[in-house]
Amino acid sequence: MGILIPLVSVSAFWAIIGFGGPWVVPKGPNRGIIQLMIVMTAVCCWMFWIMVFLHQLNPLIGPQINVKTIRWISEKWGDANHLIDN
């Protein structure tokens, strides 16, 4: 359910831009090119968004921190055991 709301709302937004945008272009010599640019912009923006959105659902690799870095952080920042209530 949490995936459905942003998926539908963002897809509907770019569908409105892609299908409705060309209808508001004023008549002129470059009307066809402007309509094509609006549709291609909507398609490319939606494709970029959907690829990033789907990649975040199932990442291929997670964050990796070197053991040396973890020890340095623990030394510099100190251990957080005193901040946790038991």
Side-chain angles (χ1 to χ4, degrees):
M1 184 66 176
I3 297 170
L4 192 60
I5 294 171
L7 185 67
V8 170
S9 61
V10 174
S11 296
F13 171 78
W14 286 114
I16 291 169
I17 298 296
F19 290 121
W23 291 97
V24 297
V25 176
K27 293 188 180 194
N30 295 326
R31 183 176 188 204
I33 294 173
I34 295 171
Q35 288 176 331
L36 178 67
M37 288 181 357
I38 291 172
V39 172
M40 291 301 294
T41 299
V43 169
C44 290
C45 287
W46 179 80
M47 284 181 57
F48 179 78
W49 177 82
I50 197 73
M51 285 183 217
V52 171
F53 183 75
L54 292 176
H55 177 70
Q56 291 176 356
L57 289 177
N58 188 16
L60 296 177
I61 55 174
Q64 298 175 351
I65 299 177
N66 192 355
V67 174
K68 188 176 181 181
T69 305
I70 294 173
R71 288 186 181 146
W72 181 85
I73 291 172
S74 177
E75 178 185 328
K76 296 296 179 183
W77 292 355
D79 292 330
N81 293 333
H82 66 281
L83 298 176
I84 301 173
D85 295 330
N86 290 329

